[in-house]
Amino acid sequence: MKATAPPAKRRRGPRLAVLALVFCSLLVPIAFLFNRFPAVYVTDERPQQEIDLPSFDRVAFESGGSVNEDVFKKTSGSSSVSHHGIDTGPSIVRTEPKVIVLPPPKIELVLPPPKVEPKPEVKPVPVSVPVHHNKKINVDKIRPPRVQSADEVEKAKACQLEFGSYCLWSIEHKEVMIDTIVKRLKDQLFVARSYYPSIAKLKGKETLTRELKQNIQEHERVLSESIVDADLPSFIKTKVERMDQSIARAKSCTVDCNNVDRKLRQILHMTEDEAHFHMKQSAYLYNLGVHTMPKSHHCLNMRLTVEYFKSMPLDPNDSSAHTFNIPDNRHYVILSKNVLAASVVINSTVSSSEDTENIVFHVLTDAQNFYAMKHWFARNSYRESAVNVINYEQIIFENFPEFGTQQLYLPEEFRVFISSLERPTEKSRMEYLSVFSHSHFFLAEIFKDLKKVIVLDDDLAVQHDLSFLWNLDMGDKVHGAVRFCGLKLGQLRNLLGRTMYDQQSCAWMSGVNVIDLEKWRDHNVTENYLQLLRKFGNNGDEASLRSSALPISLLLFQHLLYPLDERLTLSGLGYDYGIKEKLVQSSASLHYNGNMKPWLELGIPDYRKYWKRFLTRDERFMDECNVSP
């Protein structure tokens, strides 16, 4: 008897190969969709974090710069903190340059109204700021409110909480659809899809069903190839008329209205989901654009660095070095990693000053941009002023290794969404609050020989002489800054913890800040900062460290702040499209806080021109890197 051969095992190889091919065919289009962005140079420019807080009533600013505290009324409400889809708990977390476009969870924090306690208040001394107008400045005139419905307010709030300033940019750049035929094709397709399932179920309507299906397929094919009317084929009118006839016949049939309504709602939800998906992609590209260095600026830094090492120092003796530590000179401090931004700050300040002989600028930068900065300011002169470029990271590493935070941090910006629960349809706005970073608190240690400095942000343009700031008598105060009373410490109780603070103390803005270094040392500000840092920034990660800059800055200076005149700095030029041109022209300095910086293509065009007029033209390097003025 012949032995029976065992049954052959089934081959599983071809099946696995087919399954792998199907799986790859699904993944490749998705990967292509989410990675079809051009190569960019990512830097740690100031990405913002978001805060949603209840607001106090409108603040009235008088011409002398004083703030009328009587106009404040207590409100209580909810506060939500978002971090691009990552649950951060009750603390604020600093966002990173890489933006994950996900709907953020909203953490509701119920804030009781801050208690009003009588206390002596330091009123700002009226300072003669060289401006062209003497009228009263009111916040409503600066940013005129637009009456919106409750639905519009909620939609705007939800959009800004999720996407930030992208919502403002998208509204400003919204294009009205003028291609009427394309719009009509989409409307016809919408209606035909809603009727088709119901018609297909009717007996005796097979011909109409085939016509609807054919017309739907033809419309889908045309819309996949044409976006505007100019791209449409010449016979499109025939297709439109044929679809109208089919829809009319479908409407004349007796169908279940509930089925049609259900299908319409289904298509509507699908359309809304698709629109939201495209908004996410657009917001991702927007955030990618505002948080990255332009390629031309990266090229400029590289060219300057290479040229520095190729050529001999332009000023080997550094004849102006002796002026860097003279206390009687006027010392300005700028923290920047952007050559052109720092150049505009210096050039605008010098151009607006009558006497520049004793002006010294100290530019603190990181190791990566140090040589580019040094070569740029050695090639370009700014009247009689002197420019001292300092490698911040090297100084901290060599002289103050115990500080730990050796990295250079630029002024931190926080996106604050303020709404009124009492009048939700009248007052809802987004502000960008910029405060000192951790690097600012070591200025007294770096400049031990100096008595007083003025700190300028690198997204600033000066239009009037700032020399009057050197004559300010701040008394026992350490820090002179413009207050932002739209946000008070009482609204940040969940972020400040159990630390003792004055609930009615206003926040303040960086931009133009006067620092009395002698009073700074007398009040041990740096030591107090290190104590607060151990409390608020002890989580060990950089995001927690950078987010701690807000509570630390507000707590340290709540009793040491000297309020400067409101007309000194006009803020909001990096996100607010509604600032009047006359106000921009007459302000002493312009602060481009926000995402849309003036050196970016996404910068607001109406405000960029005031920044670009102070841009130093170095034809050799700027033309090679195609840097547009």
Side-chain angles (χ1 to χ4, degrees), residues 395-594:
I395 286 185
I396 297 297
F397 177 76
E398 293 178 352
N399 301 323
F400 314 104
E402 68 277 8
F403 286 158
T405 54
Q406 300 172 0
Q407 181 180 349
L408 174 67
Y409 292 105
L410 304 180
E412 304 288 356
E413 291 187 348
F414 298 84
R415 181 160 58 89
V416 184
F417 191 89
I418 304 175
S419 58
S420 174
L421 298 180
E422 295 181 354
R423 296 174 295 175
T425 61
E426 295 182 11
K427 192 168 186 177
S428 181
R429 69 185 190 276
M430 184 178 66
E431 302 281 354
Y432 279 78
L433 181 67
S434 57
V435 296
F436 281 176
S437 69
H438 296 282
S439 300
H440 286 79
F441 295 102
F442 302 129
L443 294 181
E445 304 298 328
I446 296 175
F447 303 105
K448 292 184 177 180
D449 298 330
L450 304 184
K451 300 177 180 179
K452 189 176 185 180
V453 296
I454 294 180
V455 181
L456 304 176
D457 285 3
D458 68 345
D459 54 355
L460 193 80
V462 180
Q463 297 190 123
H464 296 287
D465 194 356
L466 300 180
S467 59
F468 67 92
L469 293 176
W470 298 101
N471 301 322
L472 286 181
D473 182 10
M474 298 194 299
D476 196 42
K477 303 301 180 183
V478 173
H479 177 203
V482 175
R483 294 194 298 179
F484 176 65
C485 287
L487 177 65
K488 294 194 174 184
L489 298 190
Q491 297 171 282
L492 298 173
R493 52 178 296 180
N494 293 282
L495 304 175
L496 301 180
R498 298 180 180 179
T499 308
M500 297 297 295
Y501 59 89
D502 178 13
Q503 294 189 2
Q504 292 299 309
S505 179
C506 294
W508 52 271
M509 297 280 287
S510 67
V512 178
N513 303 87
V514 183
I515 303 296
D516 190 329
L517 295 179
E518 291 183 320
K519 296 291 191 305
W520 182 295
R521 300 182 185 101
D522 294 341
H523 288 280
N524 297 320
V525 174
T526 301
E527 289 75 8
N528 295 335
Y529 155 77
L530 293 174
Q531 293 180 5
L532 289 175
L533 180 62
R534 285 190 289 269
K535 177 179 180 180
F536 290 98
N538 57 358
N539 290 344
D541 59 296
E542 184 179 359
S544 175
L545 176 67
R546 299 182 69 173
S547 65
S548 64
L550 177 62
I552 291 176
S553 295
L554 297 182
L555 289 173
L556 272 179
F557 299 113
Q558 60 175 322
H559 300 302
L560 302 176
L561 185 70
Y562 179 86
L564 298 179
D565 197 301
E566 289 290 335
R567 297 171 296 171
L568 178 63
T569 303
L570 177 63
S571 301
L573 275 71
Y575 69 94
D576 191 349
Y577 285 89
I579 303 178
K580 294 183 178 180
E581 187 174 4
K582 290 184 179 180
L583 188 60
V584 177
Q585 295 175 350
S586 60
S587 297
S589 61
L590 306 177
H591 192 194
Y592 293 84
N593 58 316

Side-chain angles (χ1 to χ4, degrees), residues 281-298:
Q281 299 304 309
S282 182
Y284 179 87
L285 292 174
Y286 167 83
N287 283 282
L288 194 65
V290 298
H291 290 154
T292 55
M293 177 185 292
K295 183 177 179 180
S296 56
H297 290 214
H298 181 79

Side-chain angles (χ1 to χ4, degrees), residues 7 27 41 84 181 184 192 245 271 276 295 325-326 372 439 488 507 528 533 613:
L27 285 183
Y41 298 92
H84 295 289
I181 302 179
R184 187 177 179 185
Q245 294 173 2
T271 305
H276 190 70
K295 183 177 179 180
N325 297 320
I326 299 178
S439 300
K488 294 194 174 184
N528 295 335
L533 180 62
R613 65 180 180 177

Side-chain angles (χ1 to χ4, degrees), residues 71 141 190 339 352 373:
V71 300
K141 293 182 180 180
F190 191 95
V339 173
S352 305
M373 289 270 193

Side-chain angles (χ1 to χ4, degrees), residues 57-291:
D57 280 351
R58 183 170 59 253
V59 187
F61 298 107
E62 302 297 330
S63 59
S66 61
V67 180
N68 186 1
E69 297 291 346
D70 296 334
V71 300
F72 290 108
K73 296 182 180 179
K74 296 179 291 182
T75 59
S76 63
S78 61
S79 170
S80 63
V81 181
S82 62
H83 181 220
H84 295 289
I86 302 175
D87 192 348
T88 61
S91 62
I92 299 177
V93 180
R94 191 73 156 84
T95 59
E96 295 301 315
K98 183 177 180 181
V99 179
I100 304 174
V101 184
L102 291 175
K106 300 177 179 58
I107 305 172
E108 299 297 332
L109 306 176
V110 180
L111 303 181
K115 299 179 180 179
V116 180
E117 299 179 358
K119 62 181 182 66
E121 179 172 345
V122 179
K123 295 184 178 180
V125 179
V127 180
S128 177
V129 181
V131 294
H132 298 304
H133 64 283
N134 297 318
K135 298 181 180 180
K136 294 182 179 180
I137 301 176
N138 188 278
V139 173
D140 291 337
K141 293 182 180 180
I142 298 176
R143 299 177 178 91
R146 175 180 173 267
V147 179
Q148 296 177 322
S149 64
D151 291 340
E152 290 178 334
V153 171
E154 288 301 320
K155 289 181 180 179
K157 179 179 178 179
C159 180
Q160 293 185 22
L161 285 175
E162 182 174 1
F163 299 119
S165 60
Y166 163 74
C167 299
L168 303 176
W169 179 87
S170 62
I171 292 174
E172 190 68 20
H173 294 80
K174 184 178 180 179
E175 295 183 2
V176 180
M177 187 173 182
I178 59 176
D179 300 286
T180 56
I181 302 179
V182 171
K183 185 177 183 300
R184 187 177 179 185
L185 289 173
K186 292 181 179 180
D187 293 341
Q188 286 182 332
L189 188 60
F190 191 95
V191 176
R193 283 174 174 172
S194 63
Y195 274 95
Y196 176 76
S198 299
I199 298 298
K201 295 178 182 179
L202 297 179
K203 294 182 179 181
K205 299 296 181 182
E206 290 79 6
T207 304
L208 179 58
T209 302
R210 285 194 299 270
E211 289 181 4
L212 275 176
K213 183 178 181 180
Q214 182 180 358
N215 290 334
I216 290 173
Q217 292 175 346
E218 290 178 355
H219 271 49
E220 289 176 342
R221 188 181 305 110
V222 170
L223 291 175
S224 66
E225 299 174 355
S226 305
I227 301 177
V228 295
D229 289 354
D231 298 334
L232 294 173
S234 58
F235 52 84
I236 192 62
K237 291 184 179 180
T238 305
K239 294 184 178 294
V240 171
E241 294 175 358
R242 192 182 305 160
M243 178 65 91
D244 281 336
Q245 294 173 2
S246 300
I247 292 175
R249 291 174 58 190
K251 289 181 178 180
S252 64
C253 297
T254 303
V255 296
D256 189 351
C257 295
N258 292 328
N259 292 337
V260 177
D261 178 72
R262 185 165 52 251
K263 187 62 178 178
L264 281 170
R265 292 180 183 276
Q266 180 184 358
I267 297 175
L268 176 62
H269 292 159
M270 292 175 59
T271 305
E272 289 178 347
D273 291 343
E274 184 180 358
H276 190 70
F277 171 79
H278 288 296
M279 181 178 289
K280 284 184 177 181
Q281 299 304 309
S282 182
Y284 179 87
L285 292 174
Y286 167 83
N287 283 282
L288 194 65
V290 298
H291 290 154

